[in-house]
Amino acid sequence: MSGTTGAGPEVPGIVCAFAVTRTPPDAAALAAARGHEEGGPLRLVRAGGLCLVVQDVPAALFDQEALTERLNRPGDLERCARAHHRGVEAAAGRGPVVPLPMATLYRGDPTAARAVTDRREALEALLDRLRDRTEWAVKVHAAEAPPEPAAEAGAQAGTGAGAGGRAYLSRVSARRRDRQGAHDRALAEAEAVDAELRRYAVAATRHRPQSERLTGHRAPQLLNVAYLVEDARRAAFTGALARIAAAGRRPAVRIDASGPWIPYSFARWDEDPRFGPEAPAAPDREEVRS
Amino acid sequence: MTDLDHGYPGLETEPYGPPSGSLADLLERVLDKGIVIAGDIKIDLLDIELLTIRLRLFIASVDTAKKAGIDWWETDPALSSRAARDALAEENAQLRQRLDALERAGAQTAGAAS
């Protein structure tokens, strides 16, 4: 199969790998998809019972130096990320995939195939785990303008027997408490949202919350969670999401969601050849690194 | 909890695609996630490089925001000294909370006495 495009590298070129699957996409679907703009057509590399979706890419743009430089340019980084995602999508047409990280590169088909066969057991286990499941990204922000119960503070200050200084301090203190209270309420609601959504998910993992500058929102991002959801439970999950996000249900927070994603966040095992526990391993690592 | 059995044979495969996913969402997935199958060209996106990328990304988002006329972080001098202010505010708040607690305790005693 890998020879059919005529681009099979007898002379070692650089092979960029997108994803592993055991259900290879058909030729037409593969031909219709585009990976990196600078590379050749997408093609398959067989590796035992598994299959890699790859693309030949020019060494001048994809060797270590060139790639590092390109990935540090925001425009190129974005194009590269989107190209990678297209390659992974193309691989996912007929069944589950294990997406590889962006810029997974080999000197040729044989080494790419060996990398897969060497890890076949773990890859098979992951493919089983990810089958008929998608990922949903949910981000919970504090509401932009938390309600300030100023009247209550005024009433309390009034009991201060008219002492101006004390009344002032009391008011300031009450305002501060209100702000802290709003933050605490937002955090509690964010945790409640997460707990509710986990009921509909097979697994969940927390990403580091995105910075306010990156999100463009002034209110802090409290939670950035990925949920792994069974296809059969998708409607239940999105229904729950819609209910929770409905106006007024959770006044202290604002909820953003996107999906379905190919389950990138659940296709990892880090150093261990056996993939890690379902939820708790990743978040610790993510949160520590912020 | 959700049971873990697979296999819902009737399901048609739907096209994937995060319609509303942002670039940040995509990057945090394609860079950080997935299995690392080391190739024989070593392009490790090590933490330091990721940080660089994130820094660049951040700069890019600032530029984008500026073009859209959003530049509050530059025009609001309070934000640059925010950390220092927060530390002071925190200390103030603690003192005020103590004062407030004392006052409330006093008021309750007074209320109970009358």
Side-chain angles (χ1 to χ4, degrees), chain A residues 236-259:
Chain A
F237 180 85
T238 53
L241 196 54
R243 274 199 309 281
I244 294 167
R249 278 293 308 278
R250 296 282 178 192
V253 297
R254 193 174 49 76
I255 300 165
D256 291 334
S258 68

Side-chain angles (χ1 to χ4, degrees), chain A residues 18-43:
Chain A
F18 296 99
V20 177
T21 180
R22 59 164 86 92
T23 47
D26 60 58
L30 213 52
R34 283 187 74 196
H36 294 282
E37 292 153 39
E38 307 87 352
L42 298 185
R43 58 188 183 83

Side-chain angles (χ1 to χ4, degrees), chain B residues 5-112:
Chain B
D5 56 334
H6 318 278
Y8 297 90
L11 278 178
E12 70 261 83
T13 41
E14 288 185 34
Y16 285 99
S20 57
S22 67
L23 176 61
D25 285 356
L26 179 60
L27 284 174
E28 83 191 350
R29 283 169 173 77
V30 304
L31 291 178
D32 265 352
K33 306 299 174 247
I35 300 175
V36 176
I37 294 185
D40 45 359
I41 292 178
K42 205 163 161 50
I43 298 191
D44 287 328
L45 290 169
L46 297 173
D47 279 355
I48 184 91
E49 289 172 84
L50 278 176
L51 285 176
T52 311
I53 287 168
R54 291 207 168 104
L55 186 67
R56 292 293 185 121
L57 184 66
F58 159 68
I59 291 167
S61 69
V62 170
D63 284 346
T64 309
K66 267 194 211 159
K67 276 176 198 152
I70 305 161
D71 59 353
W72 48 262
W73 54 81
E74 286 190 341
T75 55
D76 183 353
L79 282 164
S80 53
S81 55
R82 190 174 178 174
R85 216 180 33 159
D86 282 355
L88 265 182
E90 183 65 30
E91 192 184 344
N92 269 341
Q94 282 173 1
L95 288 172
R96 282 174 185 147
Q97 270 168 9
R98 287 177 61 185
L99 176 62
D100 199 50
L102 285 171
E103 276 184 352
R104 235 182 334 192
Q108 272 169 9
T109 316

Side-chain angles (χ1 to χ4, degrees), chain A:
Chain A
M1 188 59 134
S2 60
T4 52
T5 61
E10 299 306 322
V11 180
I14 292 187
V15 174
C16 177
F18 296 99
V20 177
T21 180
R22 59 164 86 92
T23 47
D26 60 58
L30 213 52
R34 283 187 74 196
H36 294 282
E37 292 153 39
E38 307 87 352
L42 298 185
R43 58 188 183 83
L44 300 174
V45 171
R46 303 275 179 181
L50 297 175
C51 212
L52 259 176
V53 171
V54 304
Q55 178 186 24
D56 296 301
V57 292
L61 288 171
F62 282 80
D63 67 7
Q64 179 157 10
E65 230 170 278
L67 195 58
T68 304
E69 197 204 317
R70 291 203 304 137
L71 294 187
N72 277 305
R73 287 200 294 266
D76 283 347
L77 173 66
E78 172 164 7
R79 282 196 300 121
C80 198
R82 297 205 184 281
H84 182 77
H85 185 61
R86 288 196 300 270
V88 174
E89 277 184 315
R94 290 183 49 231
V97 293
V98 174
L100 302 175
M102 187 170 87
T104 300
L105 301 161
Y106 300 97
R107 279 206 191 281
D109 289 4
T111 46
R114 202 179 327 122
V116 171
T117 49
D118 284 353
R119 295 162 181 82
R120 176 162 177 183
E121 199 185 329
L123 287 166
E124 295 271 12
L126 268 174
L127 286 168
D128 286 340
R129 183 188 185 219
L130 300 179
R131 189 174 60 202
D132 299 330
R133 293 169 173 179
T134 56
E135 174 178 335
W136 293 75
V138 176
K139 289 185 279 293
V140 184
H141 299 83
E144 295 279 342
E148 296 229 349
E152 191 192 327
Q156 275 182 5
T159 63
R166 282 176 69 190
Y168 168 76
L169 275 182
S170 186
R171 270 199 308 277
V172 169
S173 159
R175 253 201 311 273
R176 171 72 197 186
R177 272 203 316 276
D178 287 343
R179 268 200 298 272
Q180 186 59 46
H183 186 70
D184 290 347
R185 273 196 302 281
L187 269 181
E189 285 191 9
E191 292 296 340
V193 166
D194 182 41
E196 173 71 5
L197 290 177
R198 277 174 196 253
R199 293 176 52 209
Y200 301 92
V202 182
T205 183
R206 290 189 181 185
H207 295 275
R208 171 179 27 220
Q210 294 168 352
S211 76
E212 286 140 61
R213 293 185 168 186
L214 193 56
T215 61
H217 298 297
R218 199 159 182 168
Q221 191 171 97
L222 304 172
L223 273 185
N224 184 6
V225 192
Y227 299 92
L228 185 63
V229 178
E230 293 273 6
D231 287 346
R233 299 268 284 164
R234 181 185 297 186
F237 180 85
T238 53
L241 196 54
R243 274 199 309 281
I244 294 167
R249 278 293 308 278
R250 296 282 178 192
V253 297
R254 193 174 49 76
I255 300 165
D256 291 334
S258 68
W261 286 86
I262 288 168
Y264 283 99
S265 301
F266 301 93
R268 62 185 308 186
W269 73 71
D270 294 322
E271 301 303 315
D272 198 297
R274 307 293 314 168
F275 56 89
E278 298 254 340
D284 292 340
R285 182 173 159 264
E286 290 303 318
E287 281 162 11
V288 163
R289 274 178 24 170
S290 71

